[in-house]
Amino acid sequence: HPHHQPQRGSTWMSGFILGLQKVLPQPGRSRLVGWLAQSQIPVIRRSFIHVFAKAYDISLADAERKGLDDYHSFNDFFTRALADGARPLPAQHNALACPVDGTVSQIGRIQSDLLMQAKGHQYTLNSLAGTTGKGLEDGDFCTIYLAPSNYHRIHLPCDGTLVETRAIPGALFSVNGVTEAGIPGLFCRDERVVCRFDTEHGPMLLVLVGALIVASIETVWAGPASPYRKEIVTQHEQHFKRGDEIGRFLLGSTVICCFAKDAVTLAEHLDAGTSVRLGETVGSG
């Protein structure tokens, strides 16, 4: 699949991060990379942004701010906003809008409570989401991988009320095609936040899976801050409209959408390796 091929420059970035892993202990490594990513010191900010943009061939054509030097830090650049109108929502009221820009990694039916990770690897809904995923057995799911060059904010596929979140600490493996194929239960080992919404199509889960570097997930509502030190379940009652931003990745990663049995029909053109863009129709209720 396309996302299994390393992008140009990714070997340099992987080598850099792997090098850090060898010389720094995990907490120190994460703090250092976090500090560099947040730094507004011009030489650090410009170096990180320019090297990353060149390595991953990043286009700012759809971004609100068009120049590499228009960003205050690497994090500000990585979580850049889109220009108004860059990702229109579907015209049909019952259409599900794609929550992110990315590539479909897996899509299909939840077999009882089993989801497909990659060929030969499955994981359970319970190990992914705990009791926050109850009632979605035999439903449908879609896993979307975000490459480093993608827009990194996550939006809601349909109107919904956030009712519960479960913040789960993790081991923080890098998420890409290589590790997806190579680490059993990968998404159940990574830091993640499971978001459960009540919608007109029944319950829906959006699982935001973190990345290699900790402090990689932010949500628009108040809650535990990433990196998560322990599992925390929070009750909510917050309403969102289709297309509203619900969170962003500071580095990473993957979004897993789960719907209840027979609640939605996912678009037939979607398959592992299909590129998708925020706002495009990915199914209907």
Side-chain angles (χ1 to χ4, degrees), residues 104 107 266-277 280-283:
V104 174
I107 186 167
L266 295 178
E268 287 185 10
H269 74 277
L270 298 177
D271 201 357
T274 308
S275 288
V276 289
R277 287 187 10 136
E280 76 172 69
T281 299
V282 290

Side-chain angles (χ1 to χ4, degrees), residues 3 98 100-105 144-147 150-151 273-278 280:
H3 67 297
C98 186
V100 289
D101 283 5
T103 303
V104 174
S105 167
I144 304 172
Y145 166 69
L146 288 73
N150 285 130
Y151 167 70
T274 308
S275 288
V276 289
R277 287 187 10 136
L278 170 69
E280 76 172 69

Side-chain angles (χ1 to χ4, degrees), residues 243-261:
D244 283 352
E245 181 188 337
I246 60 161
R248 56 187 69 174
F249 288 123
L250 294 179
L251 266 179
S253 178
T254 296
V255 172
I256 305 168
C257 308
C258 301
F259 300 94
K261 182 181 181 182

Side-chain angles (χ1 to χ4, degrees), residues 1 6 8 14 62 76 80 90-91 98-99 121-122 126 128 135 165 169-170 174 211 213-214 228 232 241 246 248 254:
H1 302 316
R8 272 189 300 147
S14 313
D62 289 344
D76 184 38
R80 58 195 174 274
C98 186
H121 289 310
Q122 291 178 308
N126 187 59
L128 176 73
T165 57
S174 173
I213 306 300
V214 297
Y228 309 128
I232 298 174
K241 300 299 255 178
I246 60 161
R248 56 187 69 174
T254 296

Side-chain angles (χ1 to χ4, degrees), residues 11-267:
T11 17
W12 180 91
M13 193 58 83
S14 313
F16 172 68
I17 289 177
L18 285 170
L20 280 180
Q21 284 179 304
K22 286 176 182 158
V23 298
L24 286 173
Q26 167 72 32
R29 176 171 75 243
S30 296
R31 278 198 298 271
L32 172 63
V33 175
W35 181 82
L36 291 169
Q38 287 169 25
S39 176
Q40 298 191 18
I41 298 167
V43 63
I44 294 175
R45 177 195 77 208
R46 292 194 76 246
S47 304
F48 257 58
I49 291 173
H50 282 258
V51 166
F52 193 86
K54 189 169 196 299
Y56 290 102
D57 198 17
I58 289 172
S59 164
L60 295 179
D62 289 344
E64 189 176 58
R65 287 172 278 167
K66 309 289 187 194
L68 291 177
D69 294 329
D70 295 342
Y71 295 89
H72 310 304
S73 67
F74 177 79
N75 280 351
D76 184 38
F77 167 71
F78 195 81
T79 60
R80 58 195 174 274
L82 292 170
D84 282 348
R87 299 285 187 281
L89 291 171
Q92 298 81 7
H93 163 74
N94 69 336
L96 298 170
C98 186
V100 289
D101 283 5
T103 303
V104 174
S105 167
Q106 292 293 332
I107 186 167
R109 180 61 53 88
I110 301 169
Q111 306 288 344
S112 182
D113 74 332
L114 286 174
L115 291 83
M116 183 69 72
Q117 173 186 308
K119 193 170 180 183
H121 289 310
Q122 291 178 308
Y123 58 97
T124 67
L125 187 59
N126 187 59
S127 61
L128 176 73
T131 56
T132 306
K134 67 182 183 295
L136 285 105
E137 296 82 6
D138 295 311
D140 292 281
F141 81 100
C142 181
T143 303
I144 304 172
Y145 166 69
L146 288 73
S149 58
N150 285 130
Y151 167 70
H152 271 90
R153 299 189 186 194
I154 305 107
H155 299 251
L156 207 57
C158 58
D159 293 1
T161 301
L162 177 71
V163 291
E164 184 171 290
T165 57
R166 181 178 295 263
I168 304 174
L172 297 159
F173 294 92
S174 173
V175 178
N176 56 41
V178 179
T179 49
E180 270 178 56
I183 301 174
L186 171 70
F187 301 132
C188 306
R189 301 187 190 189
D190 270 350
E191 170 173 282
R192 59 201 179 279
V193 59
V194 182
C195 311
R196 185 183 179 104
F197 294 87
D198 282 345
T199 79
E200 61 182 321
H201 316 298
M204 174 181 72
L205 290 190
L206 254 65
V207 184
L208 315 186
V209 183
L212 183 67
I213 306 300
V214 297
S216 56
I217 304 169
E218 280 184 5
T219 56
V220 299
W221 52 82
S226 164
Y228 309 128
R229 304 291 180 205
K230 58 182 182 180
E231 192 161 318
I232 298 174
V233 179
T234 311
Q235 307 303 318
H236 303 262
E237 191 167 335
Q238 191 167 344
H239 305 291
F240 292 90
K241 300 299 255 178
R242 182 178 69 170
D244 283 352
E245 181 188 337
I246 60 161
R248 56 187 69 174
F249 288 123
L250 294 179
L251 266 179
S253 178
T254 296
V255 172
I256 305 168
C257 308
C258 301
F259 300 94
K261 182 181 181 182
D262 300 329
V264 303
T265 304
L266 295 178

